[in-house]
Amino acid sequence: MEFTLFHHSFEILGGSERVAVAVLNVMKSLGYQVTLITLSEINKEKIKKWDPRFVDPDKIVIKKFPLKFGIYKALYLSLMTKKERSFSTIGDITWSDYSYIHFPWSLTDNLKYIDNYYKYESYIGNRKLRMYYLPYKYIHRMFFRKSKTKLLANSNWTRRILEISGYRAETLYPPVDISRIKIKSSNRDPKLVVYIGRISPEKNIENIIEVAKRMKDYKFVILGSEGRNKKYINYILNNSKNLNNIFIRKNPDDTEIIDYFSKAKIYFHPKINEHFGISIVEAMAAGLTPVVHKSGGAWYDIIEEGKYGIGYCDIDSAIDGIKKASSIEFDYSKKIYQFSFENFKKNLSSILEKIS
């Protein structure tokens, strides 16, 4: 049995690449012959070091795209997905048998129907970004409005956007390598706050700086992979260099991440409307108390509106939440399994076997 897996790029490794690697792993474990179609060369050793679950596909096809605009590269590959027994982790609706939806960029305007914080999204509030996304939305709808793809959403929050837009979808949480990050530590610093993720504008890293400015007796550590936006990275570095309580570690390896996860008490997630948030689950598995914005899959799916963490809605309540997190404990033992790779594999295997 042959399958085709579509993923636009492995140049920057993040949550969507984690899902693509996991889907490939599950397909190969089921005995399928897998062709991976992508847009740029793949550094296998780099990916394997980052995620040991990466396995070699049977064939890799590189489709070149001359422009560097990320979302239009994804759209270009999406137009090629009309193949039998295919799976897309590109992130939006495609022609594949299954499309894994990280966030449906073609449906961004409908976010206002499910979330009060939609106006904080840069692609809604920023005029230049709206103009950047506008052609994508119209082109995407023109080509994919009749698609019969089965939709798999990365969170119930993302699924709600799809359903309010007239689509049916099933939630399949991204895989988190809980066993790799699970830590038992009794010697945690109640004033050490950690964030891990990409240093990019959409991650709202500036919120960490604003909080750190007003919490001088707390130490903030940003474990950040470098995004494509060098101007934004320099902006964050310049705005934090005069703060003695904020430290930025670019492109940390597993050893450094686990070291900080074993010392810290608090995980602060600055992004508004986080679609899911793999790093939040990793922090919970490591024993940290998460403080997340009251929006997106992070709030509704992961910490269940305060059942497994603390929520905030602005800088003031974020500060209060971090202070509270210094002395509060949650039991995540039952919660985090639903986000494990093992659970992802079980659920995806059941889905794939339906079309084989």
Side-chain angles (χ1 to χ4, degrees), residues 271-335:
K271 179 169 171 53
I272 299 171
N273 287 329
E274 180 63 88
H275 317 144
F276 180 73
I278 287 176
S279 62
I280 300 168
V281 179
E282 290 179 335
M284 290 164 66
L288 283 73
T289 300
V291 180
V292 308
H293 193 268
K294 290 184 176 180
S295 61
W299 173 245
Y300 293 106
D301 289 75
I302 296 178
I303 73 167
E304 293 187 19
E305 301 178 62
K307 186 176 179 180
Y308 296 102
I310 297 170
Y312 68 91
C313 56
D314 53 27
I315 297 299
D316 287 334
S317 58
I319 292 170
D320 291 339
I322 289 170
K323 289 177 180 178
K324 185 178 179 181
S326 296
S327 58
I328 197 169
E329 298 285 345
F330 291 91
D331 182 6
Y332 311 120
S333 55
K334 294 181 181 178
K335 176 65 179 176

Side-chain angles (χ1 to χ4, degrees), residues 56-89:
D56 288 341
D58 297 279
K59 184 179 179 182
I60 297 176
V61 177
I62 308 294
K63 300 286 187 179
K64 296 292 184 181
F65 185 64
L67 303 179
K68 293 184 178 181
F69 302 121
I71 199 165
Y72 290 96
K73 290 174 69 174
L75 178 60
Y76 174 72
L77 187 61
S78 297
L79 295 171
M80 303 179 188
T81 56
K82 210 167 191 178
K83 280 185 172 288
E84 187 179 2
R85 290 190 298 277
S86 58
F87 197 108
S88 164
T89 54

Side-chain angles (χ1 to χ4, degrees), residues 52-317:
R53 288 200 168 95
F54 176 79
V55 294
D56 288 341
D58 297 279
K59 184 179 179 182
I60 297 176
V61 177
I62 308 294
K63 300 286 187 179
K64 296 292 184 181
F65 185 64
L67 303 179
K68 293 184 178 181
F69 302 121
I71 199 165
Y72 290 96
K73 290 174 69 174
L75 178 60
Y76 174 72
L77 187 61
S78 297
L79 295 171
M80 303 179 188
T81 56
K82 210 167 191 178
K83 280 185 172 288
E84 187 179 2
R85 290 190 298 277
S86 58
F87 197 108
S88 164
T89 54
I90 297 170
D92 207 333
I93 298 164
T94 70
W95 287 108
S96 289
D97 289 311
Y98 283 93
S99 296
Y100 193 89
I101 309 298
H102 302 292
F103 185 75
W105 296 106
S106 57
L107 306 172
T108 51
D109 291 338
N110 293 340
L111 181 60
K112 61 179 175 285
Y113 297 120
I114 72 160
D115 204 304
N116 292 329
Y117 296 101
Y118 77 96
K119 60 186 177 183
Y120 292 98
E121 290 286 358
S122 56
Y123 51 81
I124 290 176
N126 185 300
R127 185 177 179 181
K128 288 184 178 179
L129 280 178
R130 279 190 66 82
M131 294 304 295
Y132 170 74
Y133 281 105
L134 198 60
Y136 172 88
K137 288 190 281 190
Y138 282 110
I139 296 170
H140 190 281
R141 290 171 192 173
M142 179 174 65
F143 280 100
F144 297 106
R145 66 181 183 272
K146 294 183 180 180
S147 172
K148 301 299 182 182
T149 184
K150 296 177 179 64
L151 302 179
L152 302 173
N154 66 347
S155 65
N156 291 324
W157 180 80
T158 299
R159 195 188 77 219
R160 285 174 61 206
I161 299 174
L162 293 165
E163 290 178 344
I164 203 72
S165 305
Y167 294 91
R168 295 180 62 185
E170 177 181 348
T171 300
L172 177 66
Y173 291 124
V176 183
D177 192 352
I178 292 169
S179 59
R180 175 184 67 87
I181 210 77
K182 205 166 185 179
I183 299 167
K184 289 184 179 180
S185 176
S186 58
N187 187 28
R188 294 185 181 275
D189 184 346
K191 292 190 175 182
L192 179 56
V193 185
V194 172
Y195 162 76
I196 179 172
R198 190 167 61 254
I199 303 177
S200 300
E202 69 275 10
K203 295 298 184 181
N204 306 126
I205 309 297
E206 62 274 11
N207 289 342
I208 300 177
I209 296 174
E210 290 305 311
V211 170
K213 285 178 181 178
R214 294 169 56 182
M215 299 187 78
K216 297 292 179 62
D217 55 336
Y218 281 71
K219 179 180 176 181
F220 294 80
V221 178
I222 297 173
L223 303 171
S225 58
E226 294 185 88
R228 293 186 178 90
N229 193 326
K230 303 302 180 185
K231 183 178 179 180
Y232 182 77
I233 293 171
N234 290 332
Y235 165 78
I236 294 298
L237 291 173
N238 290 334
N239 279 272
S240 61
K241 67 182 179 182
N242 294 324
L243 295 173
N244 295 324
N245 64 331
I246 188 164
F247 301 88
I248 299 176
R249 311 295 296 178
K250 291 190 292 184
N251 304 314
D253 58 22
D254 267 6
T255 301
E256 191 166 14
I257 291 170
I258 291 171
D259 180 52
Y260 275 109
F261 271 5
S262 67
K263 296 175 181 176
K265 177 68 175 66
I266 305 157
Y267 180 84
F268 178 59
H269 202 71
K271 179 169 171 53
I272 299 171
N273 287 329
E274 180 63 88
H275 317 144
F276 180 73
I278 287 176
S279 62
I280 300 168
V281 179
E282 290 179 335
M284 290 164 66
L288 283 73
T289 300
V291 180
V292 308
H293 193 268
K294 290 184 176 180
S295 61
W299 173 245
Y300 293 106
D301 289 75
I302 296 178
I303 73 167
E304 293 187 19
E305 301 178 62
K307 186 176 179 180
Y308 296 102
I310 297 170
Y312 68 91
C313 56
D314 53 27
I315 297 299
D316 287 334
S317 58

